[in-house]
Amino acid sequence: MELSLAHPAIKAFLCGSLSGTCSTLLFQPLDLVKTRLQTLPGSGRVGMVTVLQSVVRTERLLGLWRGVSPSFVRTIPGVGIYFSTFYSLKQHFFQDRDPRALEAVVLGAGARAVAGVVMLPVTVIKTRFECGRYRYSSVLGALRCVCRTEGPAALFSGLVATLLRDVPFSGLYVMFYSQSKASLPTEVSASPCAPVANFSCAVLAGVLVSLITQPADVVKTHVQVCPELRTPAAVTLVFKEHGLQGFFRGAVPRALRRTMMAAMAWTVYEQLMAQFGLKA
């Protein structure tokens, strides 16, 4: 079947997957640095540059891309699932108009909840690859190892913290992004500069929402690296070891990565959907 004849939800899936591929490869080092910062022992202040230098020194330059395989396995179908769910929900509930602010929150949150739950096992493996404490040979081997030694339930560790991070992130992101886009003058949104304007709106939304959801990301990382921890215990551990500032460890690389990835993904997604003659 020709792509032009495919169902719109399938086109949205393909556009989302393509939009996530390049951004995953480009920004993987920031994700690795974020995970290392969050799992460092002790309460000393360690910066992003220090961790970057340490990884390059001990694991060479390619060490910055450790975990890129599970990132691809997670992001390519995950972003596709997110955008196809988002498109389907929007077409079902808001076919004749754009969603309002709170409706945009629910729309983005619902799409992310579906994608987050489906891709959680690979998210667990990705986090373990990046932290440097586990030496898995492959994504499939890691999945088998976890199931054999810890049981299948370990692949869903951090579910609560992941949903507390991703659902508000996507809900608020869609709201900030759609509202800032709607506020653009018509001559800008209809001009050749529209992709740049959309990218700027996406960056602004990403920075705001990354900071709001940072504490949940720290807790999620601890639970997935140490599966014997439960979410309340991880919150207590982070606070005891690092205080309130511990919940914002890795905030800079995460904000950079999530902001740029989301901005690139939404910009590419909307441009590809326009090529298919579909409204994103």
Side-chain angles (χ1 to χ4, degrees):
M1 181 174 62
E2 292 185 8
L3 187 57
S4 59
L5 300 179
H7 190 279
I10 296 176
K11 293 179 181 179
F13 179 90
L14 293 173
C15 291
S17 297
L18 288 171
S19 70
T21 302
C22 294
S23 55
T24 297
L25 181 62
L26 188 60
F27 301 119
Q28 176 62 23
L30 290 172
D31 201 28
L32 180 133
V33 170
K34 180 268 297 183
T35 301
R36 296 287 175 93
L37 281 170
Q38 291 177 351
T39 55
L40 280 174
S43 57
R45 295 178 64 86
V46 179
M48 183 174 71
V49 176
T50 303
V51 173
L52 274 170
Q53 292 174 337
S54 175
V55 172
V56 172
R57 185 171 60 251
T58 59
E59 304 174 45
R60 299 189 177 181
L61 186 63
L62 288 179
L64 293 172
W65 276 267
R66 181 174 177 79
V68 74
S69 296
S71 287
F72 273 132
V73 174
R74 169 182 174 265
T75 302
I76 294 174
V79 176
I81 291 170
Y82 171 76
F83 277 119
S84 60
T85 305
F86 178 88
Y87 178 83
S88 299
L89 290 173
K90 188 175 181 183
Q91 287 298 107
H92 183 75
F93 293 105
F94 307 105
Q95 190 169 11
D96 300 325
R97 63 177 178 85
D98 290 330
R100 301 183 182 92
L102 290 180
E103 292 170 339
V105 172
V106 176
L107 187 62
R112 178 54 62 189
V114 173
V117 172
V118 172
M119 301 309 299
L120 185 60
V122 185
T123 303
V124 172
I125 299 304
K126 180 186 79 72
T127 303
R128 293 189 178 192
F129 263 91
E130 292 170 351
C131 76
R133 299 181 187 178
Y134 297 84
R135 296 296 171 185
Y136 299 126
S137 59
S138 67
V139 176
L140 185 58
L143 289 168
R144 288 173 176 169
C145 179
V146 172
C147 287
R148 186 176 63 251
T149 59
E150 303 173 40
L155 292 174
F156 289 89
S157 60
L159 174 62
V160 174
T162 299
L163 292 178
L164 287 175
R165 177 197 67 170
D166 287 351
V167 172
F169 182 97
S170 292
L172 293 172
Y173 183 91
V174 171
M175 183 189 73
F176 287 140
Y177 178 60
S178 60
Q179 294 301 303
S180 58
K181 268 186 63 182
S183 66
L184 291 173
T186 306
E187 56 269 21
V188 173
S189 56
S191 72
C193 297
V196 177
N198 293 345
F199 188 85
S200 301
C201 292
V203 168
L204 176 62
V207 170
L208 292 172
V209 183
S210 292
L211 294 176
I212 292 171
T213 58
Q214 178 64 22
D217 184 69
V218 173
V219 173
K220 186 258 338 170
T221 299
H222 278 271
V223 173
Q224 291 180 344
V225 171
C226 304
E228 66 275 8
L229 282 176
R230 293 293 179 265
T231 299
V235 172
T236 303
L237 176 67
V238 173
F239 183 75
K240 278 186 177 179
E241 289 192 352
H242 312 294
L244 286 175
Q245 67 180 13
F247 292 102
F248 290 90
R249 273 194 163 190
V252 173
R254 177 173 179 263
L256 286 172
R257 175 184 174 272
R258 288 302 296 263
T259 297
M260 299 308 293
M261 279 194 70
M264 182 179 291
W266 273 93
T267 302
V268 173
Y269 167 75
E270 291 185 336
Q271 293 303 303
L272 289 173
M273 289 290 279
Q275 294 297 314
F276 286 130
L278 297 172
K279 184 179 179 183

